[in-house]
Amino acid sequence: MRILLYNPDNGVTRNFMPHLWMFLLQALTPSGHEVLLIDGNAQPMDEDGIARYVREQNIDLVGIGAMTRMIAKAYRMADAIRAVGVPVVMGGPHVTEEFDEALGRNGGERHADAVALGEADETWPKIVDDAARGSLKEVYAPVDDFGQERKPSLKEYPAIPWDKINLKQFNLIPKMAMRTLQRIGDGWGTFRIIPMESGRGCPYGCEFCTVTGFFGDSIRFRTNESVVSEMLLLKARAKSEGGQIAVFFIDDNFAINIKRTKSLLRDIIAAKAQVHWVAQISANLLRDEELVDLIAASGGKWVFIGMESIDPANLADVNKGFNKPGEYAAVLQRLANRNVYAITSFIFGMDNDTTGVADRTLAQIRTWPPGLPIFGLLTPLPATPLYKRLETAGRLTRPKHWQKFIPFEMAHTPLKMSIAEAHAEVKRGWALSYSAEALSHAVHSLKDKPLGYRINIFIARICFRGIYFPQMGPSAWLKLIYQNRRTIFGLAREGFATWRKHAAAVPIAPAGD
C-alpha cells in the first residue's frame, strides 16, 4: 500500500517544527508499504488539494493526527479524502477522548473509518495489516489480555532513519535567502528543528493539561544509548548537508527524573553528540545547579517553562502549586548565566485574574533576563479536570469550541473579569512584548554578549511574534522588517564590521615566483 500520514495546519501561522508522530509511525510501519508525510504547516493544503493529492499519488490509506485546536481542519480534510474512496484512520489526544465524534456515533457526521486510541506504537502495525486486507476495525486500543490499557515501553524504541528521510519541506530558511546563505557558508543553507522524545508521561496532573490523561502519570524512558544515537545521526546529517539542525525534546517534562536526566546529558557530552536543543522543564527542577551546568554543556540553548501565572492562588487552583513565582527570577538568571534562555508561558483568564494582569506580569518579566514570553487563555480541553469542573459549574460558553476553532478565543466565563477583558489582556501581553521597542530592548540587554546571541534573540522574537500576530505573507514580513529596521541595521552594521576585522586579520599568502 501507499500510505499518507497527514498533520493539519493550525490555521494561525507556520509551526517551527514538524510533528514526531508522523516519523515514528513511518518507522513502525511493516515492511512492504510506502509511507509519505505531509505537515500542513510546511505544505499548506485545502480540501480540494488533498483530495487531488491522494488520487494522483494513488494513496491507499491515510492516517491523520491532530490536537484539539486542529481537529476541525482535520475533520474537513478527512471528509474530502473519504469522499474519493480512500479510508482514513484518525488518532491523537482529541480523538482518544472524543472517538464517538470522529466515528459519527454522537449524531454528527462521520469523519473516520477507524480510530486509534491512546499511543499507537503497538496498534499501528495492526491497523496497516488490517487495511491491506480490507478489514479495518472501527476502534483500535492498546490493551492487555485482560482488557486493561497498556502503555508501550520505550526501551525498544524504533530507530528513525533521519539520514534517509526527506526533510525538504521542513527547512526554515526562506527560499529567497537560501542561496545567499549557502554562498556565505557556515552551514546556514538549511535549518531544521527536529522533534525527539526521551520519555513519556507526567505525574503532576495539572488541571488544564491533557498529558497525564493521555500518556499516564508514570514516566517511561528511552535508553540513553537510543537518544544519543539519534542525536549523532542528526548531527552527521547536518554536517553532510552543510546545514544546521536543532532538536526539540517534546517530553512533557524533560527533567522529571533529575538523576536520569543528568545521566543522559553526561552521555550526550561524552559521545560528542551535542547539537543545539530545546526542552520543556518545570521551574522547580531548575534549582539544581549541576543540572543547569549539564544542560548548557550538552547543547541546551532554550528551555520552555510553563510558568502560567505570577499569582500563587491561580497556580494552586489548577494543581500547579509546585511552581513558586518567587523563584522565577533566580531560575531564569541561573540559566542566563550559562547562556541558556527561557521560553516563558503564561495563561490569562484564570480564576484569580483581574484586569491589569498583563501589566503586572510584564512588570515582572522586564526584571528577568531576555527571553521569549508567550501568552494564552485558559482553555478547557475535553476530558481534562478543568473541563469537567467548568461544565459542572455551568461556566462553559462554547462546550464544543473545537468544532469551530477560533484562535485566542475563550470558551468559558472567567470569574473576576469578562471574556472581552481577558482577550484584551492577552493582546496587550503580546503587543508590548513583541513591539519594535521591545525587540530592540531585548537585543540591547545582551550588549555584553557576542553578536550571535543578540541575533539569536532577535530572530527568535520575530518568529514567536507570529504565534499571535499573522505574518504569513511577504507584505506582512516586509512591514515587520520596516518596523524593526533600526535594530536590523545595527546588527548588520556590527556583523559587517566583525567580518571586516576578521578578514583583515587573515594573512595573505605571498605570490609564487
Side-chain angles (χ1 to χ4, degrees):
M1 291 193 304
R2 299 196 87 202
I3 302 169
L4 170 65
L5 298 179
Y6 171 75
N7 197 93
D9 63 275
N10 60 25
V12 183
T13 189
R14 180 180 176 183
N15 269 8
F16 300 135
M17 69 174 183
H19 294 265
L20 179 61
W21 72 267
M22 296 189 298
F23 302 105
L24 184 58
L25 292 193
Q26 183 181 40
L28 290 167
T29 300
S31 60
H33 304 284
E34 182 182 3
V35 181
L36 307 178
L37 310 178
I38 292 181
D39 189 314
N41 294 287
Q43 289 184 254
M45 280 188 178
D46 59 13
E47 293 89 328
D48 290 340
I50 200 162
R52 183 167 56 251
Y53 182 89
V54 298
R55 287 198 307 266
E56 293 175 351
Q57 295 295 321
N58 297 313
I59 301 297
D60 301 297
L61 176 69
V62 177
I64 299 179
M67 292 183 283
T68 296
R69 70 177 184 272
M70 305 171 184
I71 199 67
K73 176 68 176 285
Y75 286 158
R76 294 196 301 272
M77 299 298 266
D79 294 346
I81 294 164
R82 297 180 73 236
V84 297
V86 177
V88 172
V89 181
M90 300 190 76
H94 183 91
V95 168
T96 295
E97 300 298 345
E98 298 286 334
F99 63 91
D100 282 342
E101 178 182 83
L103 292 171
R105 294 177 176 177
N106 61 353
E109 183 179 355
R110 182 170 186 155
H111 306 289
D113 296 275
V115 294
L117 307 185
E119 299 169 61
D121 305 56
E122 295 180 4
T123 54
W124 176 247
K126 299 175 186 176
I127 292 170
V128 172
D129 288 343
D130 285 353
R133 293 193 298 268
S135 57
L136 267 179
K137 302 179 181 67
E138 282 196 335
V139 179
Y140 292 84
V143 294
D144 60 22
D145 294 337
F146 302 99
Q148 300 298 311
E149 182 182 17
R150 178 170 56 201
K151 299 293 185 185
S153 168
L154 302 186
K155 296 297 184 183
E156 301 296 329
Y157 198 83
I160 298 177
W162 292 113
D163 53 335
K164 299 180 179 66
I165 293 174
N166 181 0
L167 296 174
K168 184 177 180 181
Q169 64 178 302
F170 304 115
N171 184 14
L172 295 179
I173 301 296
K175 291 181 181 178
M176 60 183 178
M178 195 182 307
R179 190 167 297 176
T180 300
L181 289 171
Q182 284 172 336
R183 289 173 180 167
I184 292 173
D186 293 329
W188 282 101
T190 61
F191 176 58
R192 303 182 183 97
I193 301 177
I194 300 299
M196 186 184 298
E197 63 180 347
S198 76
R200 295 180 193 166
C202 182
Y204 286 159
C206 300
E207 186 188 39
F208 53 81
C209 186
T210 62
V211 170
T212 302
F214 187 78
F215 287 114
D217 57 6
S218 61
I219 316 301
R220 293 155 286 143
F221 295 115
R222 294 172 61 181
T223 64
N224 288 3
E225 181 183 11
S226 169
V227 176
V228 171
S229 296
E230 193 168 337
M231 294 184 75
L232 286 170
L233 193 62
L234 287 167
K235 187 174 182 178
R237 173 165 184 163
K239 183 177 180 181
S240 69
E241 292 180 342
Q244 297 285 337
I245 278 181
V247 164
F248 194 122
F249 286 106
I250 63 168
D251 304 37
D252 297 289
N253 207 330
F254 180 67
I256 191 65
N257 183 320
I258 291 182
K259 182 179 179 181
R260 181 264 177 183
T261 303
K262 288 180 179 179
S263 169
L264 173 60
L265 298 181
R266 289 191 188 105
D267 284 356
I268 290 171
I269 295 165
K272 294 181 170 55
Q274 294 101 323
V275 297
H276 291 174
W277 59 262
V278 186
Q280 304 174 88
I281 303 177
S282 294
N284 61 304
L285 302 175
L286 294 166
R287 301 166 183 155
D288 190 307
E289 296 276 356
E290 183 185 31
L291 174 64
V292 180
D293 283 338
L294 289 168
I295 288 171
S298 61
K301 292 299 177 185
W302 290 92
V303 173
F304 183 101
I305 304 175
M307 291 182 168
E308 322 309 2
S309 178
I310 60 170
D311 184 342
N314 272 332
L315 296 169
D317 283 345
V318 297
N319 197 32
K320 199 161 184 175
F322 54 85
N323 264 16
K324 307 297 181 187
E327 296 181 347
Y328 289 169
V331 164
L332 298 181
Q333 191 59 57
R334 189 173 297 124
L335 292 169
N337 290 343
R338 280 92 167 169
N339 295 318
V340 181
Y341 296 93
I343 304 164
T344 52
S345 173
F346 296 92
I347 298 174
F348 293 162
M350 300 173 86
D351 281 356
N352 206 47
D353 280 343
T354 58
T355 54
V357 63
D359 286 336
R360 292 190 293 273
T361 303
L362 290 169
Q364 290 290 311
I365 291 173
R366 293 186 187 106
T367 68
W368 300 338
L372 299 171
I374 59 176
F375 309 92
L377 290 157
L378 188 64
T379 303
L381 297 173
T384 60
L386 173 66
Y387 189 97
K388 295 171 184 175
R389 174 168 69 85
L390 294 175
E391 183 179 41
T392 300
R395 292 173 57 191
L396 295 177
T397 56
R398 294 187 296 132
K400 302 289 184 182
H401 56 87
W402 52 86
Q403 293 180 352
K404 185 179 180 182
F405 173 66
I406 306 173
F408 299 98
E409 177 83 20
M410 290 203 83
H412 76 281
T413 304
L415 276 184
K416 297 184 178 180
M417 56 179 157
S418 68
I419 290 176
E421 287 170 337
H423 292 172
E425 295 294 332
V426 167
K427 183 175 182 178
R428 184 166 178 81
W430 281 101
L432 295 181
S433 297
Y434 291 87
S435 65
E437 293 76 18
L439 268 63
S440 176
H441 176 76
V443 169
H444 182 72
S445 67
L446 294 177
K447 62 182 183 300
D448 297 328
K449 300 288 185 180
L451 176 63
Y453 286 95
R454 277 167 280 150
I455 294 175
N456 185 309
I457 191 72
F458 179 74
I459 293 175
R461 285 252 180 153
I462 287 288
C463 292
F464 268 64
R465 180 186 179 279
I467 296 172
Y468 186 84
F469 297 105
Q471 46 193 54
M472 299 285 280
S475 60
W477 280 98
L478 288 172
K479 181 180 179 181
L480 187 59
I481 290 169
Y482 179 77
Q483 290 171 343
N484 290 276
R485 62 192 182 280
R486 290 187 177 88
T487 302
I488 294 171
F489 178 74
L491 291 170
R493 182 174 56 190
E494 185 176 348
F496 182 69
T498 302
W499 175 82
R500 286 189 63 184
K501 183 178 179 181
H502 175 74
V506 176
I508 301 175
D513 294 331

